Amino acid sequence: MTISRPDGQRSPTLEEVAEWAGVSRSTVSRVINGVSTVDPELRELVQRAIDATGYVPNLAARSLVTRRTDSVALVVSEPDDRTEQAEPFLNRIFTDPFLGRITAGALEVLRPEGIHLVIMPAESPAHHHVLRYLRQGHVDGVLLISSSDEDPLPQQLCDLGIPAVLSARPGKPLPMSYVDVEQQVGAKLAAEHLLAVGRHHLATISGPLDMPSSQDRLAGFRAALAVHGHAYVPSAAGNFTRASGEQAARELFAAHPEIDGLFVANDLMAEGALQALRDLGRRVPEDVAVVGFDNSIAALQCRPQLTTIHQPLEEMAAEMARLLLARIGKADPKPRSVIFHPRLVKRESA
């Protein structure tokens, strides 16, 4: 059976879909609304009828029944003290490979479920706009990239009862699921590798020290070196951008020209540090061995290519999406944490 209409005529109705499939109108409605008890063969038959007739569900009416929007927000939150940096917030988040990898991993899970992903930057001046949008029920839940101990957004989402999953361990206990990598283990791998290639004067460029991941990477690097008798480890903090990595490297080598091994807390900052070392006439790895963290596309774009710590961001984001869907569907309402393992990827820089 094929239903055709002159251009401009009304869209197919629910009744016409039911007639095409040879089922009741209520069966079609249950399929469209995602009722799980519908027989799989009937579901497939109704789906073929929808495709054949060109029926478009009334999403507004459907949402009244299911109370679902079939969309989730990927919110990238920024604290107050980083909104006045020279590089605009939007430039930073959309040029950082981190966001692209998180997005790709989440979509691998969300797309097959028919869930749309809305990317929402939430720098400090826009926090209240984002919170209002979420409070109004435009999305079913939130994948939250929150980068500061002082960020109020995670607690606000908990207080409002909005389903959410964090991209890293929260700075303080919250009733919210999160996904992370063993940050200190990754930093230990970097320290042990620099020692293994014969470096004796080691230093590190950390991320912002209000971030749990930055704190953990710095602590893990220092702890690993302390075991080998390195009581003092020079460090400088960046903000996970190329420019900040370059500036931090210049500061470190001005104060400690003897440095021959450098751990940088992400690949973008490491790329900036390599530029600083070229400008200073230091050869990599002959004079200074450099290890990054992330194993992003930036590691391959570095010259020389960067030895780095791999964190499986795509897998981590996919797990975030699965945890969120379980929370939205109330299949797993209790907060959970899932921790992934890092590994060292050897390239030319160390």
Side-chain angles (χ1 to χ4, degrees):
M1 174 181 178
T2 301
I3 297 176
S4 60
R5 293 179 174 79
D7 290 343
Q9 195 165 330
R10 64 177 177 80
S11 300
T13 66
L14 208 64
E15 288 75 10
E16 289 169 342
V17 175
E19 181 184 353
W20 192 101
V23 299
S24 68
R25 184 186 187 281
S26 63
T27 297
V28 175
S29 178
R30 284 158 52 215
V31 170
I32 291 172
N33 289 320
V35 176
S36 60
T37 56
V38 178
D39 180 87
E41 291 185 5
L42 273 182
R43 186 184 303 279
E44 178 62 26
L45 179 61
V46 170
Q47 189 57 57
R48 289 203 303 269
I50 290 171
D51 294 340
T53 60
Y55 176 76
V56 178
N58 183 330
L59 295 180
R62 180 183 173 213
S63 67
L64 289 175
V65 175
T66 64
R67 300 192 181 277
R68 294 274 296 272
T69 66
D70 286 341
S71 62
V72 301
L74 174 60
V75 176
V76 186
S77 185
E78 179 86 337
D80 287 337
D81 59 358
R82 291 190 223 144
T83 58
E84 297 181 359
Q85 296 172 1
E87 190 175 357
F89 175 60
L90 290 179
N91 285 0
R92 278 183 281 131
I93 66 168
F94 286 114
T95 57
D96 189 334
F98 181 90
L99 179 63
R101 294 177 66 192
I102 289 286
T103 303
L107 286 174
E108 283 294 316
V109 172
L110 298 176
R111 271 182 178 158
E113 300 295 328
I115 307 294
H116 300 285
L117 186 66
V118 181
I119 298 177
M120 301 188 68
E123 67 273 41
S124 182
H127 263 196
H128 68 286
H129 296 297
V130 170
L131 197 61
R132 181 172 61 188
Y133 180 88
L134 299 176
R135 186 188 296 119
Q136 290 172 346
H138 295 293
V139 296
D140 298 322
V142 177
L143 301 172
L144 179 58
I145 301 174
S146 176
S147 60
S148 170
D149 287 345
E150 304 305 318
D151 186 358
L153 197 52
Q155 183 64 61
Q156 289 168 331
L157 294 179
C158 289
D159 293 344
L160 291 169
I162 297 173
V165 178
L166 271 168
S167 65
R169 175 181 65 83
K172 54 187 177 183
L174 287 173
M176 182 183 292
S177 294
Y178 69 89
V179 174
D180 207 344
V181 69
E182 291 176 314
Q183 307 283 358
Q184 294 200 28
V185 172
K188 178 183 178 183
L189 292 173
E192 291 177 342
H193 179 69
L194 288 169
L195 292 171
V197 296
R199 305 308 157 121
H200 304 286
H201 303 287
L202 304 183
T204 182
I205 297 174
S206 74
L209 293 179
D210 62 341
M211 292 181 61
S213 61
S214 298
Q215 297 162 9
D216 288 346
R217 292 175 197 179
L218 179 59
F221 188 70
R222 285 176 167 168
L225 292 180
V227 172
H228 295 275
H230 292 257
Y232 172 67
V233 180
S235 66
N239 61 23
F240 288 144
T241 64
R242 290 182 184 88
S244 71
E246 181 175 350
Q247 178 61 32
R250 293 185 188 279
E251 293 173 5
L252 274 175
F253 281 86
H256 304 278
E258 73 280 3
I259 293 171
D260 62 1
L262 182 64
F263 169 51
V264 189
N266 85 331
D267 294 343
L268 277 182
M269 290 196 300
E271 190 173 9
L274 289 175
Q275 180 60 55
L277 291 172
R278 281 192 293 271
D279 293 346
L280 293 169
R282 304 294 183 94
R283 298 170 301 162
V284 177
E286 293 85 354
D287 301 326
V288 183
V290 179
V291 177
F293 199 110
D294 280 340
N295 195 28
S296 67
I297 188 65
L300 296 174
Q301 293 172 340
C302 287
R303 294 296 177 266
Q305 289 190 344
L306 190 65
T307 293
T308 187
I309 304 302
H310 176 76
Q311 60 170 336
L313 283 179
E314 291 85 356
E315 296 173 40
M316 293 165 67
E319 184 62 25
M320 287 176 66
R322 282 189 284 268
L323 288 173
L324 183 61
L325 292 181
R327 174 70 179 82
I328 291 169
K330 304 190 185 305
D332 190 6
K334 295 182 180 178
R336 294 180 54 210
S337 61
V338 180
I339 311 299
F340 286 77
H341 301 291
R343 60 183 173 85
L344 179 74
V345 178
K346 297 181 184 179
R347 296 194 180 98
E348 300 164 359
S349 70

